[in-house]
Amino acid sequence: MSTPIQRQLLRLATAGSVDDGKSTLVGRLLHDCKAILADQIAHVQHVSSSRGTGDFDFALLTDGLRAEREQGITIDVAYRYFATEKRSFILADCPGHVQYTRNTVTGASTADVVIILVDARHGVLEQTRRHLAVAGLLRVPHVVLAVNKIDLVGYDEAVFKGIAKDVSQLANQLNISDVQAIPVSALVGDNIVERSPATAWYNGPTLLDYLESATGRDDTSSRPLRFPVQYVIRPQTDDQYRDYRGYTGTVASGTVSVGDEVIVLPAGRRTSVSGIDRAVISATGTAVAERPSAVAGEAVTVRLADDLDVARGSVIVSADSSPGTRRELLATVCWLSDRPLTVGARLLIKHTTTTAQAIVTKINGALDLDTLGVIDATGLELNDIGKVQLKIAAPLAADPYSSNNITGSFLLIDAHDGWTLAAGMIDDEEGELL
Amino acid sequence: MQTREEAPGSVRLGHTQVLESESIFVFREVAAEFERPVILFSGGKDSIVMLHLARKAFAPAPVPFTLLHVDTGHNFTEVLDYRDQTVAALGLRLEVAKVEDYLADGRLRERSDGTRNQLQTIPLLDAINGHRFDAVFGGGRRDEERARAKERIYSLRDEFGQWDPRNQRPELWSLYNGKHKPGEHVRVFPLSNWTELDIWNYIAREQIPLPSIYYAHERDVFERDGMLLAVGPYSQPRTGETAGKRLVRYRTVGDMSCTGAVTSTATSAEQVVIEVAASEITERGATRADDRASEAAMEDRKREGYF
């Protein structure tokens, strides 16, 4: 057994319309990767036979809630874990119903690869367009178009090619650079893990081949440093750490090294990094050890040379590439709530480690899924993708989402009940929608 | 410990390091945004890993959270001893909510099957309400069970502790929304994305001590429903079941009456990793009678406020 510690992690999300066979595809993928263990298989066999469905129902491997099993639908994102010799995977299995689009947005927000299923008999539907738009908007690096139920159209190459062409045209409009179309049958197992003899005309990768070789999101450790401060550590104990003051956080992008010249936003004060610490845990005590540097994705503690006013919400950035701060944002949002958005709405915005009040000053349009153009809109409804202008009560150290998906993303929250209303992505200077 | 995989021209963190960093991030978010967080700590392996990660998140300062254990009264003594030694060594505060107190005064009644995991929900909710805890860390992992696969990392609960899978907040990027109304609280699952194998790899890598029952030892056991149960005060062989000495270890540690052991020769975390990787049965499937009750046993318990 190769040690899993050496494996790379890839995050996937599935999307597609209702009844396209997503749960079956995921069940089949897990089953054929030997990620389903004997007791889970026994459970599915037991349930399948007690319901008189007879055949082994792969969807039961993933649909865990009672209502899902009763109605044969998937209600909420379910997370699955599997590994092969080459990789480990976290899969967000997202439901297809239009009312659950917000779950697709959720799954796509962290995905390296989105697998969009299309029923070979039906081709591209509104949900396909919506999910492609979401993948484009969230800048998911890779999209797999799984043309499912290819067995039900007689393994017809022309059908596959037609759908692949439609999707690739949409992808071009949506700035999705990488789409891999694969003809599959989740039920039979064609081209999921095993290559299908019935599609001799297809010489691309199987789904698993593709997943094992796809690259993840771009490594951001060579980009400018962004380090949002989460929490300040001041032990105030009587030992060697009496005067310790460390700023904890996860490096959002770039690399931080001892001696680096940095700027602390929003104050804009300049200082340098005097230490980077990692925890040293023993049976009775907790200490820290110094390290020379830390890269994007690592949770560390940073110490600074000068005694500045640094708190949660501060962002430590590289001195020669500061984003500055803004109190107005142009952004694209996915509206996730059934309460509509109107101009003048007062909300909370959560951006990195800052939560502040915000007012929607303008709605600059919504995405028309048929034409993929922007149409005028006075408000946004559930599942709408729209363009908004926000005024914020505190200065934010923000980047465009296209250059940084951490400092470029935010949530809009209902100040009264705390519900998450929208996922937001800060526009480029050009302000293009997608 | 730096284990980075060097891909050409890029620095990518290894799988375990990604999980560790993400969990530490969650602990720090909660510390910053909540008033009274608490860690559920039973002395089981997942809660031990949770505590280890929390210590890392705040080093060199102590963990800024209280610990809470909902004690069924059917716990392994090795596990309770470990719990108490850990709390004492780290100078932490431990609150214990006892199912037995509720049985003694009639607020709860024993179930006909004698198991007590289901009885933990009310003492847990009372403890949360009584101490006004607003964030409760649990060691639940999404790979454990079908209903848990649907959990968010931040799971909002009303004053009855109820979980409504149809009405969960969207959770995007690493922007965790902890806003809640008075009376509500948030269950937080920092180990959501860890699998059983990840946990054991981490225990091996970090050399985290565990209660001895997690490693192979000789024990009097008998077989029931395909599980090996310990002969003890809470479970005795019935007619037709024969007890005998076997070399076993525990994959999960819960109520003694419904937690099964597996045969094993593993005496170190490294050896457990090898056994887990080769196992053909899931952790709960092998060892938890209480999850087998029905197709949706866990879902029902979660709706009632269980973890």
Side-chain angles (χ1 to χ4, degrees):
Chain A
M1 187 190 95
S2 64
T3 58
I5 292 175
Q6 300 309 319
R7 287 193 194 128
Q8 289 257 298
L9 179 64
L10 197 82
R11 292 172 202 258
L12 324 172
T14 55
S17 303
V18 182
D19 298 332
D20 282 347
K22 274 186 304 300
S23 295
T24 307
L25 176 92
V26 171
R28 166 65 72 177
L29 184 64
L30 297 175
H31 179 270
D32 289 4
C33 283
K34 312 283 185 283
I36 304 291
L37 298 178
D39 54 302
Q40 293 167 302
I41 290 176
H43 173 84
V44 170
Q45 282 166 336
H46 168 74
V47 175
S48 298
S49 65
S50 69
R51 302 190 165 195
T53 50
D55 292 341
F56 187 88
D57 182 352
F58 284 101
L60 290 175
L61 288 170
T62 55
D63 289 339
L65 300 172
R66 175 173 291 140
E68 293 180 324
R69 290 160 170 245
E70 285 167 358
Q71 299 169 44
I73 55 163
T74 303
I75 283 174
D76 203 320
V77 184
Y79 292 87
R80 317 277 161 210
Y81 302 83
F82 66 105
T84 63
E85 284 294 312
K86 295 183 184 152
R87 279 235 166 117
S88 51
F89 299 94
I90 299 179
L91 185 151
D93 186 10
C94 305
H97 276 98
V98 74
Q99 79 248 42
Y100 295 120
T101 298
R102 64 175 188 234
N103 293 325
T104 307
V105 177
T106 300
S109 71
T110 52
D112 303 306
V113 178
V114 169
I115 303 168
I116 297 183
L117 266 83
V118 170
D119 186 324
R121 296 167 304 171
H122 306 148
V124 172
L125 304 172
E126 186 193 345
Q127 277 297 73
T128 319
R129 308 167 78 88
R130 188 183 296 275
H131 291 155
L132 275 167
V134 165
L137 194 62
L138 289 157
R139 296 184 184 263
V140 177
H142 312 284
V143 172
V144 173
L145 171 70
V147 179
N148 192 25
K149 307 189 187 182
I150 195 77
D151 52 320
L152 300 184
V153 295
Y155 296 100
D156 185 339
E157 183 182 11
V159 172
F160 169 72
K161 285 210 156 141
I163 296 171
K165 186 165 162 241
D166 290 349
V167 168
S168 108
Q169 279 172 350
L170 287 169
N172 281 341
Q173 285 176 272
L174 295 164
N175 284 338
I176 299 170
S177 54
D178 182 40
V179 180
Q180 172 71 51
I182 306 176
V184 302
S185 167
L187 198 64
V188 184
D190 293 311
N191 297 328
I192 307 285
V193 172
E194 300 294 330
R195 178 163 290 285
S196 170
T199 53
W201 41 263
Y202 170 76
N203 46 26
T206 63
L207 179 61
L208 186 65
D209 288 342
Y210 181 86
L211 297 177
E212 284 188 325
S213 58
T215 51
R217 284 190 180 256
D218 285 351
D219 164 40
T220 59
S221 55
S222 53
R223 299 207 190 146
L225 173 69
R226 303 286 186 260
F227 183 84
V229 174
Q230 279 185 283
Y231 183 85
V232 182
I233 290 180
R234 299 189 56 210
Q236 296 172 298
T237 44
D238 298 339
D239 55 15
Q240 57 177 324
Y241 297 112
R242 180 195 304 261
D243 300 319
Y244 186 93
R245 190 184 181 97
Y247 306 108
T248 68
T250 295
V251 182
S253 65
T255 302
V256 58
S257 304
V258 175
D260 279 357
E261 289 290 309
V262 293
I263 289 173
V264 181
L265 296 173
R269 295 287 304 277
R270 204 181 170 98
T271 181
S272 65
V273 176
S274 59
I276 300 168
D277 293 330
R278 63 183 177 87
V280 178
I281 305 285
S282 67
T284 52
T286 307
V288 289
E290 297 206 0
R291 46 185 295 186
S293 66
V295 298
E298 290 190 284
V300 291
T301 304
V302 168
R303 285 176 286 118
L304 298 176
D306 300 286
D307 200 1
L308 304 177
D309 178 19
V310 182
R312 176 176 173 84
S314 300
V315 183
I316 297 169
V317 303
S318 53
D320 50 14
S321 181
S322 169
T325 60
R326 331 180 207 181
R327 295 179 67 148
E328 291 215 333
L329 293 179
L330 282 170
T332 306
V333 297
C334 296
W335 194 251
L336 307 170
S337 163
D338 42 24
R339 304 162 221 178
L341 174 73
T342 50
V343 173
R346 289 174 175 272
L347 314 157
L348 293 173
I349 184 169
K350 182 165 190 181
H351 171 265
T352 66
T353 53
T354 298
T355 301
Q357 293 184 62
I359 299 175
V360 179
T361 49
K362 264 171 95 177
I363 294 175
N364 293 326
L367 176 70
D368 177 357
L369 282 174
D370 287 327
T371 63
L372 298 181
V374 179
I375 49 174
D376 283 347
T378 53
L380 295 179
E381 311 261 330
L382 178 64
N383 297 323
D384 278 351
I385 293 167
K387 295 187 65 61
V388 300
Q389 194 172 323
L390 299 166
K391 197 173 193 172
I392 297 144
L396 300 181
D399 291 290
Y401 184 80
S402 57
S403 64
N404 193 313
N405 70 349
I406 295 174
T407 52
S409 59
F410 60 86
L411 302 179
L412 294 177
I413 295 168
D414 185 310
H416 168 67
D417 68 5
W419 185 260
T420 303
L421 300 171
M425 287 139 281
I426 295 162
D427 286 339
D428 300 334
E429 312 260 308
E430 302 81 54
E432 57 181 330
L433 178 68
L434 293 162
Chain B
M1 173 142 180
Q2 296 303 298
T3 47
R4 279 195 208 145
E5 287 115 50
E6 301 288 344
S10 82
V11 190
R12 288 210 182 272
L13 305 181
H15 176 169
T16 310
Q17 219 181 348
V18 169
L19 294 176
E20 184 193 53
S21 287
E22 288 183 352
S23 300
I24 288 173
F25 179 86
V26 169
F27 278 113
R28 290 167 171 175
E29 279 301 280
V30 172
E33 293 202 316
F34 289 80
E35 300 279 321
R36 298 170 68 83
V38 65
I39 299 181
L40 285 182
F41 184 75
S42 62
K45 71 178 188 320
D46 296 328
S47 63
I48 290 169
V49 167
M50 241 194 334
L51 184 58
H52 185 86
L53 289 161
R55 291 175 68 197
K56 282 199 168 193
F58 303 103
V63 173
F65 310 126
T66 304
L67 306 183
L68 169 66
H69 182 210
V70 182
D71 186 349
T72 60
H74 285 176
N75 286 299
F76 294 88
T77 45
E78 296 90 336
V79 176
L80 291 181
D81 290 349
Y82 180 102
R83 176 196 78 182
D84 295 337
Q85 283 161 11
T86 303
V87 169
L90 301 181
L92 293 166
R93 213 175 84 219
L94 172 74
E95 300 287 347
V96 181
K98 292 189 167 159
V99 171
E100 305 223 308
D101 293 348
Y102 285 70
L103 294 169
D105 63 17
R107 282 176 292 173
L108 285 174
R109 290 215 309 269
E110 288 278 20
R111 294 159 45 94
S112 57
D113 64 4
T115 65
R116 289 185 177 173
N117 270 2
Q118 265 84 325
L119 302 180
Q120 291 173 295
T121 302
I122 288 169
L124 169 68
L125 292 176
D126 285 352
I128 292 170
N129 293 332
H131 291 281
R132 301 202 320 280
F133 292 129
D134 54 359
V136 183
F137 290 104
R141 308 188 325 260
R142 289 175 179 150
D143 77 321
E144 283 183 274
E145 199 280 335
R146 290 180 300 278
R148 281 199 168 156
K150 308 254 164 186
E151 265 288 14
R152 299 288 187 264
I153 290 174
Y154 276 36
S155 179
L156 186 74
R157 302 301 171 93
D158 62 14
E159 55 215 300
F160 303 102
Q162 295 181 105
W163 178 67
D164 180 1
R166 290 179 175 225
N167 197 24
Q168 300 192 80
R169 285 180 184 168
E171 195 165 73
L172 299 112
W173 298 290
S174 52
L175 288 166
Y176 300 109
N177 175 4
K179 290 275 171 213
H180 59 281
K181 296 195 292 246
E184 294 179 334
H185 68 277
V186 177
R187 303 269 172 97
V188 183
F189 299 102
L191 303 180
S192 285
N193 287 327
W194 296 58
T195 64
E196 183 187 18
L197 194 56
D198 294 328
I199 293 281
W200 279 106
N201 266 313
Y202 193 69
I203 289 165
R205 190 186 95 169
E206 299 280 310
Q207 312 230 298
I208 304 172
L210 294 183
S212 56
I213 64 168
Y214 278 110
Y215 298 113
H217 58 285
E218 204 166 64
R219 191 178 280 264
D220 256 337
V221 292
F222 60 93
E223 196 164 323
R224 178 178 303 161
D225 303 333
M227 287 192 305
L228 296 176
L229 293 174
V231 177
Y234 316 112
S235 46
Q236 289 289 338
R238 299 172 190 150
T239 318
E241 294 171 340
T242 48
K245 281 209 182 306
R246 301 275 286 275
L247 200 56
V248 297
R249 66 176 168 85
Y250 283 90
R251 277 174 88 176
T252 67
V253 168
D255 187 308
M256 281 175 81
S257 59
C258 62
T259 303
V262 294
T263 54
S264 167
T265 55
T267 54
S268 69
E270 289 78 4
Q271 289 169 356
V272 174
V273 165
I274 293 166
E275 284 188 4
V276 170
S279 170
E280 293 186 349
I281 297 184
T282 65
E283 185 179 317
R284 282 183 171 260
T287 63
R288 294 298 270 274
D290 53 332
D291 289 340
R292 299 180 173 192
S294 82
E295 258 187 69
M298 176 69 86
E299 180 185 349
D300 293 341
R301 274 152 58 206
K302 284 173 71 71
R303 283 178 179 277
E304 290 160 11
Y306 183 79
F307 260 83

